[in-house]
Amino acid sequence: MAFKCIKPNHNNLSFNSIFHRCKSMAEFKQAHARLVVKGLYHPPPSLRPVISFSALHPSGDIDYALLLLLRTSVPPTVFPFNTVIRGLARSLRSDSLSNSVLVLARMAEIDLSPNNYTYTFLFQVCAKFFASNLGQQFHAMVIKRCFQVDVCVCNSIIQFYSVCGKLDNARKLFDESTQRDVVSWNSMINGYVRNGEILEALWVFEKMPERNEVSWNSLIGGLVRFGYLDEAHRLFDEMPKRNVVTWVVIISGYSQNGQPREALVLFREMQLLDLKPNCPILVSVLSACAQLGALDNGNWIHSYIRKNSIKMDSILSAALIDMYAKCGNINLAMQVFGSSQEKDISTYTASISGLAYNGYNEESLRLFEQMKSAGITPDHISYLAVLCACSHMGCVEKGFHYFNSMVDVHQIKPELDHYTCMVDLLGRAGLLEEAERFIHTMPIAPDNVIWGALLSACRTHGNVEMGERVGNFLIESDQDHDGRYVLLSNIYAVSSKGDHVEKIQRTMRRRRIKRVPGCSSIEVDGVVHEFVAGDRSHDKTDEIYLVWEEMVREIKKFGYAPETRGVVFDVEEEEKETVVSYHSEKLAISYGFISKEPGSVLRIVKNIRICSDCHSAIKLVSKVFKRKIVVRDRRRFHHFEGGFCSCKDYW
């Protein structure tokens, strides 16, 4: 052992060299014990390295540091006390706050005065545990002692008040401070950002005499977080020097705020600058690919990961699985899952959800059971995926089994999303009255999404009476959501209540409600092409329409007849056929026929639910033209092949 070579005139340096060689806390304690037994350990000179290792080393033991500090017989200097409080500030333990107070009390017992470092670490602990009252008491102590407060203490107090939401106190101290540095300014920016006061944060940023990368990244991150993407991009463009954190913030911001196309553009810009993306950026880009259904782009990212030998941790694996699943290639998703070295709750959940989303419901449930057999405890997200699988397969009994298991076995409190799945499960199965009773017995108030699930079921099963009641409630409680008006209009249209349809449309015009147009996209050679119903903006419009009209002539020979019952416009039947004939997914499929290799899979992403006419038409197209077509709508995947759909006409 290293301590054998210590000479009688040992000092702190020799102790440091011994403890520095220890690779674990157990080894450290063993070395410390032998030094004590041999009489070579004499506090307080020896206390400093022991306390430092125990309190601050990654494998240290804060309890051991506390024990040594509070039971030492010789009054030490203030340094070990500060070291222990600093260690407590870093610790994740729930008793760190109370132990910090205990250390401070011990200092008072031996008449040892706190210094600036003591207070800096105390305010860090208070900020970590949102201990606003205790922190204010410490602030009062600082003022009462009237000693020279340095900028570090001032910054820690500003940070403490900001974290605890007391921005007026933070701003008052900031304005009164005579020695502000860049950390002071950043602390105010972070405080305003943390509390959602973005304009104030922007004002402080504009007033800063000197900015560093933290200043820029904090404000850009805040703007992104609260949806000010244009302003964030403006600052991003103005930033004199960007680091990898900046790219993470801006790319993830666009991806998480539903603007995946912009996220991919920024990623390409990063590539042109020859900057290497880290894992968080790759995860965000994969999420963008998943949202767009951009399989070619996602494949490129996967190849980049392999080519550059990037470590595939569970987070990156889950992102890849999610991307492939949401691009409709469940086989590749499961290959990634099978090759994952780290299979944890995130990789399992992404796979379970992907299988359910693509219609492999039995496989989804089997994988869920496999996860539990592997000793991984399900969480609320994995249960949500399982409930969705049960809903897609119409298995009410299994759905309630898993719902009850979530509550009774794993003590997971259901959230609104879980209740929505259960209402959707009952509604899809035609158990509308049971679904409504379930809503009324929920222990939490239902939101408009839950009532919307019931309204959708009313449309599917033609329950006009309930649909009218629920629909009228929704268009009053959720007035800005165009989907509520459209569903109720469809219910009226199918039941031949044209006057009611016109009434709904007048209400929409009066309230200036704009319908979100159906939009479908298809990726060709890495470029995503978008279409809306009746779209004539594409440079190959004439060819697209000619190809689709030819396909319609062919599938009519096999019994296709346009489904026009859901058309809510007051037009002749022939005009209704024209309305449904050029829905966005049909145009996207037609473009796929003229742009992709013969026999290749066509993958379409649609932003709303596929209609019954398109569903019937695409089934026949897959049969007549022997083409596999994958359509992802707002709710699930439809894999069309040989005249059949993976949803088994249950969607």
Side-chain angles (χ1 to χ4, degrees), residues 297-480:
N297 283 278
N299 271 327
W300 187 90
I301 299 295
H302 195 183
S303 297
Y304 179 89
I305 291 169
R306 287 193 295 253
K307 182 180 177 181
N308 291 275
S309 302
I310 296 172
K311 186 179 184 299
M312 284 281 289
D313 61 13
S314 60
I315 296 174
L316 193 53
S317 294
L320 268 171
I321 293 167
D322 183 65
M323 181 276 296
Y324 279 127
K326 287 181 178 174
C327 289
N329 197 325
I330 194 63
N331 291 330
L332 283 178
M334 297 313 295
Q335 283 180 27
V336 174
F337 173 77
S339 62
S340 297
Q341 298 297 316
E342 300 179 24
K343 290 186 176 67
D344 63 3
I345 186 70
S346 59
T347 50
Y348 268 104
T349 298
S351 302
I352 293 166
S353 180
L355 287 166
Y357 203 42
N358 281 272
Y360 295 88
N361 302 302
E362 293 288 353
E363 292 86 344
S364 175
L365 300 185
R366 279 199 294 271
L367 187 60
F368 180 75
E369 295 299 333
Q370 179 184 321
M371 179 184 75
K372 292 195 295 183
S373 298
I376 298 174
T377 303
D379 62 7
H380 67 288
I381 301 175
S382 51
Y383 264 114
L384 188 63
V386 166
L387 293 177
C388 285
C390 294
S391 179
H392 289 158
M393 65 195 298
C395 194
V396 175
E397 186 177 344
K398 278 188 178 180
F400 273 94
H401 163 74
Y402 284 115
F403 183 82
N404 294 330
S405 174
M406 176 180 71
V407 176
D408 299 332
V409 177
H410 292 107
Q411 284 78 50
I412 297 173
K413 186 178 180 180
E415 299 174 0
L416 281 169
D417 286 342
H418 299 102
Y419 288 112
T420 302
C421 269
M422 298 307 293
V423 172
D424 187 58
L425 170 64
L426 291 166
R428 284 173 185 255
L431 304 173
L432 301 181
E433 292 181 0
E434 289 87 340
E436 189 171 20
R437 281 199 298 271
F438 182 85
I439 293 174
H440 288 304
T441 58
M442 286 168 45
I444 55 178
D447 62 358
N448 289 324
V449 177
I450 289 178
W451 287 112
L454 182 59
L455 181 62
S456 180
C458 291
R459 190 272 306 272
T460 300
H461 295 284
N463 190 321
V464 180
E465 185 274 326
M466 184 183 291
E468 186 173 35
R469 176 161 44 81
V470 175
N472 283 324
F473 164 76
L474 277 172
I475 64 174
E476 294 306 320
S477 64
D478 200 10
Q479 291 191 7
D480 296 331

Side-chain angles (χ1 to χ4, degrees), residues 109 209 221 301 324 327 345 369 409 481 486 498 501 540 577 590:
E109 286 177 11
I301 299 295
Y324 279 127
C327 289
I345 186 70
E369 295 299 333
V409 177
H481 194 301
V486 173
V501 173
K540 291 189 177 181
E577 287 193 21
S590 179

Side-chain angles (χ1 to χ4, degrees), residues 570-590:
D570 187 19
V571 295
E572 297 300 323
E573 189 65 27
E574 186 177 345
E575 292 178 85
K576 289 184 178 180
E577 287 193 21
T578 302
V579 170
V580 299
S581 291
Y582 302 111
H583 278 183
S584 59
E585 55 266 61
K586 292 171 180 172
L587 299 179
I589 288 170
S590 179

